Amino acid sequence: MMKKFLSYAMFLTFLISVVVVGQATANAESSSVIQQVTKDATVYGEASTESAVMGHVAQGSFVKATPFNQEWTHIQTQQLEGYVATTTLTNPTSEKLIVAKKGGTSLFTYPSPSAQKTGQLYENSTVVVYGTAPGGWSFVQYGHETGYAATNTLKKPTLTKKRVNAVNGAAVHLTASPSGKVIGTIANQTIVQHYATFAGWAYVEAGDQQGYIKASELADVMILDNKVYNKGVTVAQGAKKRVALTFDDGPDAKVTPQILAILKKYDVKATFFMVGKNVSRNPATLKKVYEEGHEIGNHTWNHPKLTTLTKVNVKQEVDRTSNAIYAAIGQYPTVFRPPYGATSEQVRAVITMPSILWSVDTLDWKHRNADKILANVKASVKDGSIILMHDIHQSTANGLENVILYLQQQGYEFVTVSEILQ
């Protein structure tokens, strides 16, 4: 009986150890980063110099590394796995290149054409390059695959700005495949850096998000100058009319979330012109606006009449707000609205973004009456209208739903400012 119990206990212990090791390996794989060996290092089976020596890694080698503790790091190469002293590793400087060779190029375990192949990189795929090796080789990563590729098969990309055009946002994949691991979502209307496209997939970067999205979910960005715009482009005959809802002076911790809830209910996207000091007070609210796919605009830091300021002070008002927005969402605003609509050539001389005014003023800032908001919209709206409201007044939140319902009944489509200008 005791022998059976001991056998069972040993089996159970073995089973648990397999599970734990498996989980540890999975966790290590998911959290590993590429590091470079700064000097020849001994690889041990465990995090101890008393454990078995598994092999050695040479100075200049690249490894997948997962921190174990301050003294030891778990590493993995094509042929070797174990622990090395953390002091023997450093984070290499990386850059993104694209595969330029027609037909693609191969990945090798070592910087040699006679080494074992570990994978194939397709033409126009984007890879992360961590460094070079003698003989014209670069250590690269594509998805979870790593290895050496001939340096002359790679080139720097020509970056272009694109706009995400997917109502529910674009799913970001680790590799250019529908089965590639989804590692995030980029909100609709986000301006992204586009590296290259192949096989229907585009490699893009937006803030700290980067990876492959469907090329069909990208649209061109019209280059807008710093001119003044007070209405959008009308659509071709027979096409659906468009309006752009805009909200100034937020974000407000109380009213802005109410407005977001109504916009979400009717699947409406809008543009929010943010005041910098309110951004600093309510960064979480700004982040929610951004994550729900709305466009973010700059409305200065303190809401001054810019035509009364010097160029230096105008620039400070605008730059401080843009930086606050970037700090909250990792994206700079691409449109600007001058407080009170007050602008001039001197003001625009220091602003690179287009200045957006309006063609329908709901006067919500003046009357604070929900019913009058709708009355003013009815009196002035037409195709291409940019409608001015404010997400700091409770009456605006109270009247918004009726405005949306009316415009829908009249056959209008809701778009952002950047969209209505194109």
Side-chain angles (χ1 to χ4, degrees), residues 199-214:
W201 292 87
Y203 189 92
V204 300
E205 187 175 73
D208 59 356
Q209 295 203 80
Q210 50 202 321
Y212 289 91
I213 68 172
K214 294 178 182 177

Side-chain angles (χ1 to χ4, degrees), residues 17 28 62-63 90 102 118 158 160 193-194 217 233 247 277 315 325 388 401:
S17 69
F62 296 91
V63 298
T90 188
K102 189 173 183 179
T118 65
T158 301
T160 59
Q193 291 279 16
H194 172 238
E217 294 178 330
V233 176
F247 298 90
K277 62 183 180 181
K315 184 171 175 57
I325 290 172
L388 170 64
E401 190 161 13

